[in-house]
Each structure stands twice: as C-alpha cells, then as structure tokens.
C-alpha cells in the first residue's frame, strides 16, 4: 500500500485535486474534514462534539481523527493506497500516523504540498462559502483562526517531512486548476521513478513481506511492481496467490507471459477454446519445474496448492482482462 499526504493550508485546493489523483493512482481519498462534516450532518455524538470546534476554526482532538483514519485503513482494501487530505495536521498526529503505519509494516511514501498565500486563503474561502455554504468558510474570525492554527500547528510538519526527504511542493497559484493538476502529476511522475526504479533484492525477506500483504488482502492476492516507472510499458512483478486460488481461464493477446515460481506449489493449466483441459504443468515442490512460458493467445489458468509467489513478466503494459480475454466454461 502507498500512503500519500495531500498537504496545504485551507483553501489550497486539496479537495479539488484529490479526485483526479486518487482516480489515476487507484488511491482511497480520505478527507478528515469531509468525514467530520458527514458526522455532523448525521447528527452523531462525534459530530456534536466536533461541530463547535470546527465552527470556531479549532482542531478536533487527535483521537477522533486518528480513529476515523485507522477505521478507513482497516476497511478499505481494494486500492493501491491512500491519499490523506487534512491529516496529519499536527506533529502529534504525524508521529501517531508513523506508529500506525509501522505496526502495519508500512510508511508514508510522500507528502504533496500545495502552497498559497494567506491573502489567497482568505479570498478562496470567502468564495467557497458562497458556493458550498460551509459555515467555517463564512465567518472572518473563524477563517483567521484557521489560518493561525495552520501556521502554528500544521506548518511545522513541512520541516518534519523535509527532514525525512518526503516533502514535495507545488505552487497553488501557478495558474488555474488544470495547471496545478499538471504540476502535481509531474511531481508524481518524478516520484514514480524514485519508488519503482529502485534497487530491489528479491530475497526471503521480500517474499515474506509480500506474502504478509497478500494474506491481509481480501482478494488473497497481491502484486509487487518491479518496473522502472508508471510509464514503463512492460509488466514485471512478483505475484502472490494464496492456496485455493484458481484464476479465471484467460489469455493475453498482446504478449506471451513468463512466470517463474519462487515459492510454493501450483499448476499452470492450458485449455483449448472449448474449455477442455489440454495440459497441466505441476510446478514447485519436488517437481523440478520452476517456470513456464505461456504463448500469446493461449487459454490458461493457475491453480494454487501451496501459497505461491511467482515472478511474472510480459512485454506490454498491464490492462484489465476484457470479456473476450476470459473463457466461460
Ligand atoms: P478541512 O475540511 O480539512 O478544512 O477541515 C475542516 C475542519 O475540520 C478543520 O478546521 C478542523 O476543525 C477539523 N479537522 C479536519 N481535519 C482535522 C485533523 N486532522 N485534526 C483536527 N481537526 C481536523
């Protein structure tokens, strides 16, 4: 899982940019402000506690927002990661987040910051008050409190994340929404190289780590990307499949597929176009079979007997299987 923080003062455009980023990178967007507003709208106990603090431009207690964050981490599994918006907002929250992630064997990948001046904060919030009707945007005293809270409690996080080498900044006044979006995607592209084009030793420790991640996933599967960047038009990955996994019978029309079994026991099964089994290749254990090259267009499936970790390569970019690529038996 990847953990990105979208950082910046109120009105910087975090919410505006979050949708496109989370869609492109398959991230779950978590806005603590939105979650709190939903609690207020629902009239929950938590919402009642938060309402007066929010309307005064003050922060709600750490335990409240951290509970909401952890809850989302625990329930949202079918994503590549999370995009945190409005959290952390204090050094205490940043330290708690590190602890939370450490206990999951994870860490913050990067902080993307959108910067605007205090003057722009004021004019943007006044404008947003007219459009969205948020009470905390309408009142000048609340706005000033939010700006003060930002400078006093949230701004120190910039140094904190700079010191970890995780801080990336975009000028939120460099142009219109589209220009800021492009600047943000450029930052992501630069980071992709940093994250993907790195030295990776494929050893027992790494296999243990990806195995744990797969076991935690409801899909009981997990891919570990080994490409140079998101733009790399190949597929090279470690793929973990838990016992009992039987993939749909499918084929790849654009590339052959090479798999090498690094751990476990599984069968690769070839089918003809009528769904009749043609050949079954036992792999792993004492079979002496380590891998298979599956020709382009060959119907096949994987049946996993003992937790299997494979190295998989294809010479075209990944794309989801279409109906035509799957054989219904
Ligand atoms: P936002 O929508 O991010 O501007 O948040 C609106 C308000 O919700 C803030 O002014 C705070 O009162 C509260 N809030 C949001 N996120 C946090 C957080 N991480 N810690 C404490 N309070 C928060």
């Amino acid at each position: 899982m990847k953990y990105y923080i979208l950082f910046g003062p109120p009105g910087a455009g975090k919410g505006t940019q979050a949708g496109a980023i989370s869609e492109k990178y398959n991230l779950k967007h978590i806005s603590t402000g939105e979650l709190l507003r939903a609690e207020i709208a629902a009239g929950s106990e938590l919402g009642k506690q938060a309402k007066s603090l929010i309307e005064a431009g003050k922060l709600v207690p750490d335990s409240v927002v951290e509970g909401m964050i952890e809850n989302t981490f625990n329930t949202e599994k079918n994503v590549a990661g999370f995009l945190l918006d409005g959290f952390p907002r204090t050094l205490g929250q940043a330290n708690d987040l590190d602890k939370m992630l450490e206990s999951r064997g994870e860490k913050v990948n990067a902080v993307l910051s959108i910067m605007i001046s205090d003057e722009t904060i004021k004019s943007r919030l006044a404008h947003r008050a007219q459009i969205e009707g948020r009470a905390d945007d309408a009142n000048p005293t609340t706005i000033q409190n939010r700006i003060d809270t930002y400078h006093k409690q949230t701004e120190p996080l910039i140094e904190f994340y700079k010191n970890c080498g995780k801080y990336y900044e975009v000028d939120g006044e460099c142009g219109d929404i589209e220009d800021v979006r492009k600047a943000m995607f450029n930052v992501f592209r630069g980071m992709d190289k940093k994250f993907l084009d790195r030295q990776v030793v494929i050893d027992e420790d790494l296999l243990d780590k990806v195995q744990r991640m797969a076991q935690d996933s409801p899909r009981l599967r997990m891919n570990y990307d080994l490409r140079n960047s998101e733009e790399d038009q190949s597929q090279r990955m470690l793929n973990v499949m838990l016992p009992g996994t039987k993939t749909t019978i499918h084929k790849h029309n654009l590339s052959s597929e090479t798999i090498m079994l690094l751990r476990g026991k599984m069968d690769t099964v070839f089918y003809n176009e009528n769904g009749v089994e043609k050949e079954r290749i036992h792999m792993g254990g004492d079979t002496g079979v380590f891998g298979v090259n599956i020709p382009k267009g060959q119907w096949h499936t994987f049946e996993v007997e003992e937790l299997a970790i494979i190295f998989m390569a294809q010479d075209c970019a990944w794309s989801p299987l279409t109906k035509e690529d799957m054989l219904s038996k």
Side-chain angles (χ1 to χ4, degrees):
M1 285 280 182
K2 288 186 173 169
Y3 293 84
Y4 298 108
I5 294 168
L6 201 48
F7 186 85
K14 303 188 290 296
T16 307
Q17 301 296 348
I21 297 171
S22 43
E23 192 181 328
K24 184 162 161 94
Y25 295 100
N26 186 23
L27 306 171
K28 169 73 183 168
H29 171 215
I30 314 179
S31 157
T32 41
E34 299 239 323
L35 290 175
L36 289 166
R37 283 188 286 280
E39 294 285 343
I40 295 173
S44 71
E45 202 42 53
L46 194 154
K48 281 180 200 145
Q49 285 171 24
K51 191 169 187 290
S52 54
L53 289 165
I54 292 179
E55 286 177 2
K58 294 187 181 151
L59 297 182
V60 305
D62 291 352
S63 57
V64 171
V65 280
E66 286 167 13
M68 295 191 310
I69 291 278
E70 193 149 30
N71 193 24
T72 316
F73 287 167
N74 288 338
T75 48
E76 201 70 41
K77 304 275 183 184
N78 286 323
V79 287
F82 294 91
L83 184 63
L84 306 181
D85 162 2
F87 179 88
R89 248 178 162 98
T90 62
L91 283 172
Q93 290 180 9
N95 281 312
D96 289 344
L97 175 64
D98 279 352
K99 281 188 216 135
M100 219 187 281
L101 294 182
E102 203 183 321
S103 69
R104 314 169 88 88
E106 303 278 6
K107 60 180 170 21
V108 170
N109 291 93
V111 177
L112 275 108
S113 171
I114 313 178
M115 269 309 133
I116 56 171
S117 67
D118 286 2
E119 282 320 301
T120 305
I121 299 178
K122 285 181 199 156
S123 63
R124 289 221 186 141
L125 295 194
H127 180 64
R128 194 167 68 182
Q130 289 163 4
I131 298 170
E132 294 179 15
R134 271 176 60 174
D136 60 342
D137 285 343
N139 180 321
T141 316
T142 306
I143 292 178
Q144 193 54 53
N145 283 345
R146 289 166 72 194
I147 293 175
D148 293 345
T149 305
Y150 169 76
H151 286 306
K152 225 165 109 196
Q153 303 201 54
T154 309
E155 211 166 42
L157 291 179
I158 296 178
E159 266 323 290
F160 178 86
Y161 285 115
K162 269 188 185 166
N163 288 337
C164 321
K166 292 181 177 171
Y167 183 82
Y168 301 84
E169 192 171 297
V170 160
D171 176 3
E173 299 179 61
C174 66
D176 61 15
I177 291 174
E178 203 47 49
D179 295 321
V180 176
R181 183 163 304 158
K182 276 189 198 142
M184 304 217 51
F185 281 143
N186 279 340
V187 171
F188 264 98
R189 267 192 282 280
M191 283 189 316
D192 288 339
K193 291 201 182 65
K194 191 166 151 190
F195 292 131
L196 298 172
D197 189 17
R198 64 216 185 287
Q199 181 179 335
V200 178
V201 178
I202 301 170
D203 58 5
E204 296 284 354
D205 280 351
L206 182 68
L207 299 194
D208 288 345
K209 183 178 160 203
V210 292
Q211 180 167 329
R212 271 197 307 275
M213 289 159 95
Q215 281 162 336
D216 286 345
S217 147
R219 290 175 68 219
L220 301 180
R221 295 174 65 176
M222 132 97 206
N223 296 331
Y224 187 92
D225 203 345
L226 292 164
R227 294 171 304 155
N228 293 324
S229 73
E230 296 280 356
E231 280 68 46
D232 184 333
Q233 296 292 301
S234 69
Q235 293 177 63
R236 288 174 280 137
M237 65 178 90
L238 301 180
N239 199 324
V240 189
M241 293 179 281
L242 266 61
T245 300
K246 190 173 175 184
T247 60
T248 44
I249 302 172
H250 65 282
K251 63 181 166 66
H252 305 287
N253 281 329
L254 297 177
S255 169
S256 60
E257 178 179 21
T258 304
I259 63 162
M260 296 294 300
L261 185 64
L262 306 177
R263 182 179 277 183
K265 239 174 136 180
M266 61 181 270
D267 289 351
T268 300
V269 191
F270 288 174
Y271 292 85
N272 70 15
E273 62 279 9
N274 300 318
V276 177
E277 183 174 322
K278 280 200 316 186
E279 192 178 352
R280 178 173 288 265
I281 302 155
H282 300 298
M283 301 165 67
D286 54 10
T287 59
V289 178
F290 305 108
V292 54
N293 196 48
I294 303 163
K296 206 192 275 193
Q298 169 64 59
W299 292 109
H300 65 281
T301 184
F302 303 121
E303 292 182 14
V304 180
E305 196 181 324
E306 271 172 29
L307 185 140
I309 304 183
I310 58 173
F311 168 76
M312 191 280 272
Q314 287 189 50
D315 56 12
C316 60
W318 181 88
S319 61
L321 290 173
T322 64
K323 242 165 99 192
E324 287 69 44
D325 299 328
M326 291 187 270
L327 191 68
S328 46
K329 271 217 305 173

